[in-house]
Amino acid sequence: MKSGYVLDFSNRTFQEFIFEHTRIDIYDCFYNHESGSKANRLRAFWDIESNHKVAKLIDAFLSHWETQKLIKNTEISESENKLLQKCNEIVERLKQEYNIINEKQVSRDAHFDNIQQQIIDHIELARFTVWIAVAWFTDKKIFQHLVKKVSRGLMYS
């Protein structure tokens, strides 16, 4: 990735591929790291996003790479196979870390003072998921913060 290239992707197909697998627009200014090249945007993604999303995207890249090898009828060399195994181990480790963090960092708190700001603060701190349990939802400011987080890939339910 030193040259800024990522596999065989053009800017458009890179953006579409990442959006398809993560629901994130990699060309959002949030990921404009250094030169803004595909490689630097991907590095920003790795720095910013959760282990779960990074694992999911790396897994998709690996599948894409293997598929391209098959389409081109190109054999995977021994060194490529070793690298592929290491990458798959990294994906599995990232997935396991996500499961551990997900189990340990679920917060269920009740707030009665300055509720709007408490909710917004917790939305901003969320790294993976926000669960919302309400009878009705009418606060536009909280809604705007949720929309902003979801546009950056936060999961919700």
Side-chain angles (χ1 to χ4, degrees), residues 20-58:
E20 177 183 339
H21 293 282
T22 65
R23 294 294 179 235
I24 288 175
D25 180 2
I26 197 69
Y27 284 97
D28 184 308
C29 64
F30 195 63
Y31 304 98
N32 189 14
H33 180 68
E34 294 179 18
S35 71
S37 69
K38 289 185 287 291
N40 281 330
R41 288 182 179 277
L42 190 53
R43 287 182 187 102
F45 179 92
W46 292 338
D47 288 341
I48 293 167
E49 295 302 332
S50 69
N51 287 346
H52 176 71
K53 281 201 180 192
V54 170
K56 187 175 180 181
L57 185 58
I58 291 173

Side-chain angles (χ1 to χ4, degrees), residues 62 65-66 69-70 74-90:
L62 294 173
W65 178 79
E66 286 181 292
K69 285 285 205 180
L70 287 171
T74 308
E75 208 169 298
I76 297 175
S77 70
E78 187 177 325
S79 63
E80 288 173 328
N81 195 41
K82 285 180 182 179
L83 181 58
L84 183 60
Q85 287 176 336
K86 285 183 182 181
C87 290
N88 282 320
E89 289 170 11
I90 291 168

Side-chain angles (χ1 to χ4, degrees), residues 7 18 24 33 53 63 95 105 109 127-128 130 139:
L7 297 175
I18 292 177
I24 288 175
H33 180 68
K53 281 201 180 192
S63 294
K95 285 179 182 178
Q105 292 187 350
D109 300 322
R127 293 182 60 207
F128 305 110
V130 171
D139 192 298

Side-chain angles (χ1 to χ4, degrees), residues 2-150:
K2 290 180 182 177
S3 64
Y5 289 95
V6 176
L7 297 175
D8 59 348
F9 290 106
S10 67
N11 289 345
R12 180 185 56 78
T13 59
F14 181 67
Q15 181 180 28
E16 290 170 353
F17 184 86
I18 292 177
F19 187 81
E20 177 183 339
H21 293 282
T22 65
R23 294 294 179 235
I24 288 175
D25 180 2
I26 197 69
Y27 284 97
D28 184 308
C29 64
F30 195 63
Y31 304 98
N32 189 14
H33 180 68
E34 294 179 18
S35 71
S37 69
K38 289 185 287 291
N40 281 330
R41 288 182 179 277
L42 190 53
R43 287 182 187 102
F45 179 92
W46 292 338
D47 288 341
I48 293 167
E49 295 302 332
S50 69
N51 287 346
H52 176 71
K53 281 201 180 192
V54 170
K56 187 175 180 181
L57 185 58
I58 291 173
D59 197 30
F61 276 131
L62 294 173
S63 294
H64 175 79
W65 178 79
E66 286 181 292
T67 301
Q68 292 305 306
K69 285 285 205 180
L70 287 171
I71 289 170
K72 294 175 184 174
N73 203 20
T74 308
E75 208 169 298
I76 297 175
S77 70
E78 187 177 325
S79 63
E80 288 173 328
N81 195 41
K82 285 180 182 179
L83 181 58
L84 183 60
Q85 287 176 336
K86 285 183 182 181
C87 290
N88 282 320
E89 289 170 11
I90 291 168
V91 167
E92 288 308 310
R93 191 172 61 240
L94 290 170
K95 285 179 182 178
Q96 288 173 358
E97 288 175 14
Y98 168 76
N99 291 335
I100 291 167
I101 289 170
N102 199 26
E103 289 173 9
K104 290 182 178 179
Q105 292 187 350
V106 173
S107 172
R108 294 175 190 95
D109 300 322
H111 300 280
F112 299 100
D113 297 318
N114 196 16
I115 295 170
Q116 182 190 53
Q117 192 57 50
Q118 289 281 341
I119 293 170
I120 290 169
D121 290 347
H122 280 81
I123 290 168
E124 295 304 315
L125 290 172
R127 293 182 60 207
F128 305 110
T129 304
V130 171
W131 287 286
I132 302 169
V134 294
W136 60 90
F137 192 97
T138 59
D139 192 298
K140 289 181 182 179
K141 190 173 179 183
I142 292 173
F143 180 74
Q144 290 169 343
H145 282 271
L146 283 168
V147 168
K148 182 178 162 186
K149 276 302 246 202
V150 168

